[in-house]
Amino acid sequence: MKKQILAALLSGLFVVGCTKSGDEIRVGEFGSLTGNEATFGISTNKGIRMAIDEVNEKGGIKGKKIKLITLDDQGKDTEAVQVVTRLITQEKVVAVLGEVASSRTKAAAPIAQEYKIPLITPSSTNPEVTKIGDHVFRVCFIDPFQGYVMAKFASENLKLKKVAILRDVKNDYSVGLADVFAADFKKMGGEITSDISYQAGDVDFKAQLTQIRSKNPDAIYVPGYYTEVGLIAKQARDLGIKAPLMGGDGWDSSKLSEIGKDAINGSYFSNHYTSESTDPVVQDFIKRFKDKYGETPDGLAAMGYDAAKVLITAMERAPDLNPKSIRDEIAKTKDFVGVTGKITLNENRDAVKSAVIVQVQGATNKYVTTINPTP
Ligand code: PHE
């Protein structure tokens, strides 16, 4: 008798448990909410949350609300592996959004691939990321394009001849982008005067900058993340280097000008989006974002929003909400009108999109030009 009561109780609990999770769609997110790249994770989370709140307010998908479970990886590769494992095995998510940094997406995506849970990175641009497997997608362009974009801008628009490179050797993104830039800039007739390394976490770059200064380059290409780039800009000016710096999307943070102050003004970087776009889709997004958070969205927020929207529309189209059905629909994404441009995923699960070049002017990144992919 006791056994029967216990069994009934247990099955009751089981049913309650099931109904609860059956009522919602569990989506995971991992990102750097703390650490040296905290603005990447925080901005991305704001974009993702906005997309999810918007769909939930309209009643959700197939009558179910999305529950977003966000875990902080503190900007560490090993932690990224841990939290993605937890999202999949304990939180039972049907899809994962993240990371920003290519090294961390590369570290954690094999887990999603192994468990056959679709993962969309909003903004990891290193080409290796989506090669991990058929469950790994991105809604951004890749670095062979991003590196070409800055080489072309340096050579054709700025008419530069001699550029030095300062790369973060421990960062897959930085190394990849530096390599492409060097190869393309040389092909366009330019010269790389020096190619020197640092490591994320370094605070003193005087030795490298002194070496760079001795070759008198027209500009210094620093495809790193904002914390080090801000310090590098300051120390370059302290050493009397007047040449502008150039970089990639990793510069996109409100902290860049807080750290670099006047020293970073006038420098250029490539990015996914500009808040100065006159496109009504973009301006409407910015307005809604400002209403919600009281600030202008940066590129990461825009990419987070688009990644979540691509997932949401795939879930809407899918016959059911199993990870396999969701994966298959993500793969079919075509001509999706995002706030960062039109998104079509190719056979490598990458998006092919234009890039913008912006110039740092205090807290604003002034739009300079758009560079389209070559057909
Ligand atoms: N593209 C960078 C990477 O792959 C991450 C990044 C994207 C940083 C957008 C800032 C803005 O590591």
Side-chain angles (χ1 to χ4, degrees):
M1 183 65 188
K2 261 189 192 160
K3 253 192 200 161
Q4 274 166 350
I5 294 173
L6 193 64
L9 272 177
L10 279 177
S11 73
L13 279 178
F14 184 64
V15 169
V16 171
C18 262
T19 337
K20 189 170 173 287
S21 59
D23 270 350
E24 59 191 22
I25 308 165
R26 297 173 73 79
V27 169
E29 177 200 1
F30 70 119
S32 52
L33 300 174
T34 55
N36 253 358
E37 287 125 37
T39 71
F40 289 171
I42 293 168
S43 285
T44 304
N45 175 256
K46 286 181 180 163
I48 290 176
R49 257 195 293 138
M50 187 167 123
I52 289 178
D53 288 350
E54 284 176 355
V55 71
N56 282 345
E57 275 156 28
K58 287 193 191 130
I61 301 171
K62 304 190 204 309
K64 295 178 183 188
K65 298 267 165 78
I66 298 179
K67 178 162 171 57
L68 178 69
I69 299 137
T70 306
L71 297 182
D72 179 17
D73 62 29
Q74 302 158 33
K76 295 179 191 151
D77 295 3
T78 47
E79 208 54 42
V81 174
Q82 299 280 332
V83 297
V84 168
T85 306
R86 197 169 117 204
L87 284 172
I88 295 173
T89 61
Q90 289 173 37
E91 299 292 347
K92 306 283 183 208
V93 300
V94 292
V96 174
L97 296 168
E99 232 261 18
V100 169
S102 290
S103 294
R104 290 192 285 278
T105 307
K106 262 177 78 181
I111 314 286
Q113 180 64 33
E114 186 189 325
Y115 285 96
K116 297 195 169 11
I117 297 293
L119 177 148
I120 307 177
T121 166
S123 42
S124 287
T125 46
N126 185 275
E128 298 307 312
V129 168
T130 44
K131 290 184 189 158
I132 287 167
D134 62 357
H135 283 66
V136 186
F137 301 88
R138 77 176 111 218
V139 293
C140 54
F141 52 64
I142 57 174
D143 287 333
F145 174 65
Q146 182 167 211
Y148 155 83
V149 161
M150 192 46 94
K152 183 175 155 78
F153 179 73
S155 166
E156 291 177 15
N157 298 56
L158 301 178
K159 313 256 183 259
L160 306 185
K161 296 274 178 282
K162 300 185 296 173
V163 174
I165 293 176
L166 189 49
R167 60 168 81 200
D168 177 353
V169 268
K170 284 282 168 67
N171 178 336
D172 292 329
Y173 153 78
S174 188
V175 170
L177 204 45
D179 286 346
V180 177
F181 175 86
D184 285 353
F185 189 63
K186 281 191 250 175
K187 256 188 244 157
M188 294 170 192
E191 182 198 339
I192 303 297
T193 56
S194 24
D195 190 338
I196 309 181
S197 302
Y198 70 91
Q199 279 186 29
D202 286 356
V203 288
D204 185 350
F205 305 91
K206 296 240 162 61
Q208 290 98 319
L209 288 166
T210 306
Q211 225 178 311
I212 287 174
R213 187 181 59 183
S214 69
K215 304 272 173 54
N216 199 24
D218 302 326
I220 310 172
Y221 188 55
V222 196
Y225 294 153
Y226 62 89
T227 302
E228 287 81 16
V229 172
L231 295 172
I232 288 168
K234 267 178 128 175
Q235 293 171 25
R237 301 300 171 244
D238 288 348
L239 287 170
I241 300 174
K242 299 220 164 52
L245 306 191
M246 304 187 303
D249 52 357
W251 285 29
D252 190 8
S253 170
S254 55
K255 291 267 181 264
L256 179 72
S257 66
E258 276 175 38
I259 301 169
K261 307 238 167 41
D262 285 355
I264 193 74
N265 279 343
S267 289
Y268 298 95
F269 69 97
S270 49
N271 208 359
H272 305 270
Y273 139 105
T274 166
S275 58
E276 291 179 7
S277 161
T278 53
D279 182 343
V281 173
V282 179
Q283 285 310 321
D284 188 50
F285 162 72
I286 293 174
K287 191 186 168 305
R288 294 195 318 276
F289 194 94
K290 277 186 177 161
D291 287 347
K292 192 174 172 73
Y293 301 111
E295 63 190 46
T296 305
D298 60 12
L300 291 138
M303 299 300 290
Y305 183 79
D306 277 354
K309 287 285 281 201
V310 163
L311 174 62
I312 287 166
T313 49
M315 285 172 162
E316 283 168 345
R317 287 194 312 261
D320 57 60
L321 295 168
N322 294 324
K324 165 140 187 18
S325 311
I326 299 170
R327 190 228 82 95
D328 291 348
E329 285 305 322
I330 298 171
K332 290 182 200 153
T333 301
K334 196 169 177 293
D335 293 332
F336 173 81
V337 180
V339 295
T340 61
K342 213 182 243 182
I343 299 168
T344 295
L345 298 184
N346 66 14
E347 67 282 9
N348 303 322
R349 298 168 301 283
D350 300 328
V352 179
K353 294 156 82 185
S354 330
V356 294
I357 302 276
V358 295
Q359 185 177 39
V360 184
Q361 289 182 10
T364 43
N365 298 320
K366 207 89 204 102
Y367 171 72
V368 179
T369 188
T370 300
I371 299 184
N372 297 315
T374 41

